[in-house]
């Protein structure tokens, strides 16, 4: 069964506890449940992870090369700063879909730049937690699972 790594970056562990006007009231545990249900429909397995540490995220992307068919990544604020994550994604040659809860292009200018986008299959932003499900649908289609 194809497995997908769903990787979440810094501060996303706080989802649903603060700034609901920006990020909604859904918790990261709720997002994981939504993803598990969507993956089941596609007959896919998921690993759902979160880290506040850039190096840990790099390690998880490297490890995915041998265990997963693709990655859904919300790199949080590292999206806008991390050449290390960009290089890690390029090195594993897996399809990566970039997800953001908020519409980063409608926010502060510093959020418009993504180091992930040039090495991603595509980007989904602005649809809240539903974006993760849309990304799973897109990845399933890309991998020709459904
Ligand atoms: O919209 C997104 O998903 C972001 O990746 C979220 C990041 C932000 O830096 C990006 O520009 C866009 C921030 C994640 C922090 O999440 C929190 C959630 C609740 C309370 C506090 C932080």
């Amino acid at each position: 069964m194809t497995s997908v790594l769903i990787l979440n970056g810094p501060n996303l562990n706080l989802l649903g506890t603060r700034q609901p006007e920006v990020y909604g009231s859904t918790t990261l545990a709720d997002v994981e449940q939504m993803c598990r249900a969507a993956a089941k429909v596609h007959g896919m397995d998921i690993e759902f992870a979160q880290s506040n540490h850039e190096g840990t995220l790099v390690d998880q992307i490297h490890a995915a090369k041998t265990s997963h068919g693709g990655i859904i990544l919300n790199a949080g604020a590292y999206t806008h700063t991390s050449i290390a994550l960009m290089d890690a994604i390029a090195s594993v040659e897996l399809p990566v879909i970039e997800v953001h809860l908020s519409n980063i292009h409608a926010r502060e200018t510093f959020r418009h730049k993504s180091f992930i986008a040039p090495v991603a299959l595509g980007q989904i932003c602005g649809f809240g937690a539903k974006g993760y499900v849309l990304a799973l649908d897109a990845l399933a289609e890309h991998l020709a699972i459904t």
Side-chain angles (χ1 to χ4, degrees):
M1 187 184 281
T2 302
S3 182
V4 171
L5 173 63
I6 303 176
L7 194 53
N8 296 281
N11 298 308
L12 285 160
N13 53 312
L14 300 176
L15 203 61
T17 66
R18 282 171 229 163
Q19 291 183 263
E21 68 287 357
V22 182
Y23 299 115
S25 51
T26 308
T27 66
L28 199 61
D30 295 332
V31 175
E32 179 173 357
Q33 286 314 311
M34 289 168 66
C35 289
R36 293 206 176 277
K40 202 171 173 184
V41 171
H42 291 296
M44 297 189 300
D45 239 359
I46 61 163
E47 179 187 350
F48 196 93
Q50 187 274 332
S51 176
N52 292 321
H53 305 280
E54 189 175 18
T56 303
L57 295 166
V58 168
D59 288 343
Q60 285 169 311
I61 291 166
H62 290 173
K65 186 169 177 62
T66 51
S67 47
H68 296 90
I71 301 173
I72 291 170
L73 175 64
N74 183 348
Y78 288 142
T79 303
H80 319 298
T81 62
S82 181
I83 297 168
L85 286 181
M86 179 180 76
D87 287 347
I89 291 165
S91 75
V92 293
E93 295 177 334
L94 286 173
V96 173
I97 299 186
E98 175 184 0
V99 168
H100 298 284
L101 298 152
S102 61
N103 180 356
I104 57 173
H105 304 288
R107 299 184 63 191
E108 303 95 322
T109 312
F110 64 83
R111 293 187 205 275
H112 298 179
K113 166 76 183 171
S114 169
F115 282 95
I116 310 301
V119 288
L121 189 60
Q123 182 192 72
I124 296 170
C125 69
F127 297 102
K130 179 82 196 294
Y132 287 76
V133 174
L134 296 173
L136 270 169
D137 292 347
L139 200 52
E141 192 167 313
H142 177 78
L143 296 169
I145 293 169
T146 50

